[in-house]
Amino acid sequence: MEHIVALDDDRLQKQRKLSARVTQLADQAFDSQRGRCDWDSVVKKLDVPLMECLGRFDASLSSVPVRSLPKFVDWLPDDFLLLKEFVQRFPGTLTADDQRLVSAFMNVKQADCVMAYSMCIRPQMTTELSELITSYRDKDMTWKDIHQRVPGFASVQALTSVYSQFKAKVSSGPKPATIRVRWTDAETARVREIIRQHHSHGDMRSCMRVAKSDFPDKPLQSIESKLYYTLRGWQGITVADMERLADSTEGTTDNKSYWASDDEARLLHLVTLYDPRAIDWATISSELRRNVSACKLKYRQLRKQRESKMAAEHADAVSHAVKKQYTQHQNVNWVWVSESVGLSERECLEANQFGDGKARWIYDPDTFSWDMANRMTKFIETNYPRPLPVNYTAVSNYMWIEPDDCVKMAGLLRGEMTWTKDVLAKVVELRGQGMMYKAIAQQLSPNLTASLAILRHS
């Protein structure tokens, strides 16, 4: 027994000596500029694994002050990246012992390391971080450079998106509390009766008009919600009622003009499930109980609203970046503009209002280039597949050609022709010169058929 105790004492003595030696070398390897010690040099001198060195380090014996970085904005990018890389050595969730090792390695308080790591795996926008990013933007820093200083976010786009949402939330202020309005069984029964009598043609406005008259003491928002949810069976309407309503509105869904916000959100979500060039509108129509034409029209409206809102919010920043590029290089690098303002390239193309130096593009059979035409056509088909409306502001910025010329050329490429008196007079003139209709068609448009020229001439 005495021998065993002696062995334990000897082992403990060696551990104390190693702990004191590790702490001493760590103090000597302390880099005051970086605020932490060079653990690689400690490992080399002792020939002991890094984790064991960190485990033996005794902060109570160290003369190095532990850093306090309680806010995410207090962390330098290099420290944050080093923390992220070091924590990857630990599988799963960090235990208390793991956190102590991380604290010793970073020379930062344990609680502050845990906070920074949580931002690493689940980055969140805070008031301090938002103010820091705003100060960077005021200094004309690009979003790419800001992302390098705030590396917790997966990408530049993720950072700009979270920042914009946070700023919008702050500027709009807290939302007023929602007052819950109770509906009695008798009132609910009356709502069902209103739907049965006035929703036969899929027109929610008639239901709303009658309900407002029957329930003058109810808030309009509550009436609208009650009608909407009752119609969809969420407030107890029977299956038979729903089937009857579905049968009565079948074939007349073109007149179902009312779209609740939930319907619009559902439509946008369903569209995202498909490739933009292969959207299954029949399935979406079935899901929303509306016909295909109504779904396509509403999606085009929502898409256009989003584009207009995006362009209005970012027009100044994008135009400034484009102007800077064009002034310096007589060309626009849209990748650079995208990284500078933190938007996608297409969003930048849609938002830009700067257009100095744009070329004209008037059809001339002798100088017409199919390379340019195919380039424009490919851009339109890739970014605005049917039924999406083509944003010719984006097309103009992409081609750096006047918008009106892009619209006219796109029409010509689709085989469309505006038959003005001047155009018809030119057909008559060329025909009088003995020119064949095929040659006449080529003089007017790259995709005009000879048969259409004959028809218009006749």
Side-chain angles (χ1 to χ4, degrees), residues 8 31 46 67 156 161 215 225 272 293 309 354 412 437:
D8 285 343
D31 186 339
L46 293 177
R67 294 184 293 172
V156 175
S161 176
F215 305 107
S225 299
T272 60
S293 299
K309 182 179 178 182
F354 176 79
L412 292 178
Y437 281 110

Side-chain angles (χ1 to χ4, degrees), residues 326-343:
Y326 188 81
T327 303
Q328 292 178 352
H329 309 288
Q330 294 299 302
N331 197 357
V332 181
N333 183 342
W334 291 102
V335 175
W336 181 89
V337 174
S338 171
E339 294 175 349
S340 174
V341 300
L343 300 175

Side-chain angles (χ1 to χ4, degrees), residues 190-446:
R190 175 54 184 157
V191 169
R192 294 176 186 165
E193 184 179 351
I194 291 173
I195 292 175
R196 293 190 188 100
Q197 294 176 352
H198 300 279
H199 197 266
S200 59
H201 298 291
D203 188 357
M204 202 68 167
R205 288 173 296 183
S206 299
C207 296
M208 189 66 184
R209 185 167 53 252
V210 175
K212 283 166 59 179
S213 175
D214 284 13
F215 305 107
D217 59 325
K218 303 284 187 184
L220 293 180
Q221 184 177 2
S222 178
I223 296 175
E224 181 179 336
S225 299
K226 185 66 176 178
L227 288 169
Y228 174 74
Y229 291 128
T230 301
L231 177 62
R232 281 148 184 80
W234 294 353
Q235 295 288 338
I237 195 168
T238 65
V239 175
D241 290 336
M242 290 299 293
E243 289 178 349
R244 188 189 64 76
L245 286 171
D247 291 340
S248 67
T249 58
E250 185 175 0
T252 62
T253 49
D254 277 333
N255 296 323
K256 191 178 178 182
S257 58
Y258 176 79
W259 284 77
S261 57
D262 288 349
D263 287 337
E264 295 177 347
R266 179 66 173 159
L267 171 62
L268 293 173
H269 170 70
L270 290 172
V271 172
T272 60
L273 301 179
Y274 300 94
D275 185 296
R277 289 164 291 186
I279 299 175
D280 189 348
W281 288 106
T283 300
I284 293 175
S285 169
S286 176
E287 287 280 343
L288 296 174
R289 305 182 74 85
R290 299 172 185 266
N291 68 22
V292 172
S293 299
C295 293
K296 287 183 177 181
L297 177 61
K298 173 54 66 172
Y299 181 64
R300 290 181 59 157
Q301 292 172 347
L302 294 174
R303 183 64 181 266
K304 194 167 185 178
Q305 290 172 7
R306 179 183 179 278
E307 291 176 1
S308 299
K309 182 179 178 182
M310 180 71 69
E313 290 177 350
H314 302 282
D316 291 343
V318 173
S319 300
H320 176 73
V322 173
K323 181 178 181 180
K324 183 177 179 180
Q325 272 278 296
Y326 188 81
T327 303
Q328 292 178 352
H329 309 288
Q330 294 299 302
N331 197 357
V332 181
N333 183 342
W334 291 102
V335 175
W336 181 89
V337 174
S338 171
E339 294 175 349
S340 174
V341 300
L343 300 175
S344 68
E345 290 185 42
R346 191 176 78 178
E347 289 170 339
C348 292
L349 289 165
E350 292 172 350
N352 174 53
Q353 301 297 319
F354 176 79
D356 290 359
K358 284 189 176 181
R360 298 298 309 277
W361 194 9
I362 300 174
Y363 177 70
D364 184 336
D366 297 326
T367 61
F368 177 76
S369 169
W370 274 106
D371 290 339
M372 283 184 63
N374 291 334
R375 181 167 172 253
M376 183 175 71
T377 301
K378 183 178 180 180
F379 176 80
I380 293 175
E381 292 177 348
T382 302
N383 293 279
Y384 304 100
R386 292 173 181 255
L388 296 184
V390 179
N391 188 318
Y392 281 101
T393 298
V395 176
S396 170
N397 287 325
Y398 177 75
M399 300 295 295
W400 209 249
I401 290 173
E402 291 293 337
D404 290 346
D405 291 349
C406 289
V407 173
K408 293 177 182 178
M409 186 58 67
L412 292 178
L413 294 174
R414 291 191 298 267
E416 300 171 1
M417 172 62 67
T418 302
W419 295 96
T420 63
K421 292 182 178 180
D422 292 339
V423 173
L424 292 173
K426 186 173 183 180
V427 172
V428 173
E429 178 188 353
L430 295 175
R431 184 60 181 165
Q433 297 174 2
M435 186 176 290
M436 302 295 291
Y437 281 110
K438 183 176 181 180
I440 294 175
Q442 291 178 350
Q443 290 290 319
L444 302 177
S445 166

